[in-house]
């Protein structure tokens, strides 16, 4: 059974930093794409960053240069380091996977989700 558990959210002031982590179990972690998404109140869920099994990454334009996604295949974890946080980064953050080796382009192709962790950035 696929299980994803996020941690590390919290409240910070604008310009601050947070590091989110997601622990995965129930599948062959090292061979699949992992992703971070976020959803703010009243908005659609949006992709933040993805990382393939080999380590190649992609980012939403809104977070490029500020966020870094990384993975530890030995520990089955994926992390999101967030720097220079802005109030518009405030959202519930989720890790997800569709169990594909490639990273899907659409939210619907990510079938497995964690429960989310809240990030709040105050101005």
């Amino acid at each position: 059974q696929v299980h994803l558990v996020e941690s590390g959210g919290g409240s910070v002031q604008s310009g601050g930093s947070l590091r989110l982590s997601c622990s995965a179990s129930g599948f062959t972690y090292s061979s699949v794409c992992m992703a971070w998404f976020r959803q703010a109140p009243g908005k659609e869920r949006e992709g933040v960053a993805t990382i393939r099994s080999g380590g190649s990454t992609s980012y939403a334009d809104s977070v490029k240069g500020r966020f870094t996604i990384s993975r530890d295949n030995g520990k089955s974890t994926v992390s999101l380091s967030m720097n220079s946080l802005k109030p518009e980064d405030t959202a519930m953050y989720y890790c997800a996977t569709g169990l594909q080796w490639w990273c899907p382009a659409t939210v619907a192709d990510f079938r497995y989700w964690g429960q989310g962790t809240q990030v709040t950035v105050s101005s």
Side-chain angles (χ1 to χ4, degrees), residues 7-21 36 38 48 63 66-70 78-87 89-93 117-122:
S7 61
S11 296
V12 296
Q13 290 192 330
S14 182
S17 300
L18 282 173
R19 181 178 174 88
L20 308 182
S21 292
W36 284 97
R38 66 187 181 186
V48 175
V63 306
R66 300 188 299 121
F67 291 11
T68 302
I69 189 172
S70 60
V78 59
S79 298
L80 186 69
S81 294
M82 306 183 295
N83 297 314
S84 302
L85 283 162
K86 305 174 181 180
D89 294 318
T90 295
M92 186 72 78
Y93 283 72
T117 186
Q118 178 67 39
V119 171
T120 303
V121 185
S122 58

Side-chain angles (χ1 to χ4, degrees), residues 4 19-24 27-36 49-57 59 68-81 96-103 110:
L4 301 172
R19 181 178 174 88
L20 308 182
S21 292
C22 173
S23 178
F27 59 98
T28 305
Y29 176 83
S30 61
S31 63
V32 306
C33 171
M34 297 296 298
W36 284 97
T50 63
I51 185 166
R52 291 177 61 170
S53 60
S56 60
T57 59
Y59 297 91
T68 302
I69 189 172
S70 60
R71 66 190 295 160
D72 185 330
N73 288 338
K75 296 181 178 179
S76 297
T77 58
V78 59
S79 298
L80 186 69
S81 294
T97 183
L99 301 185
Q100 304 94 337
W101 63 265
W102 71 94
C103 290
F110 287 86

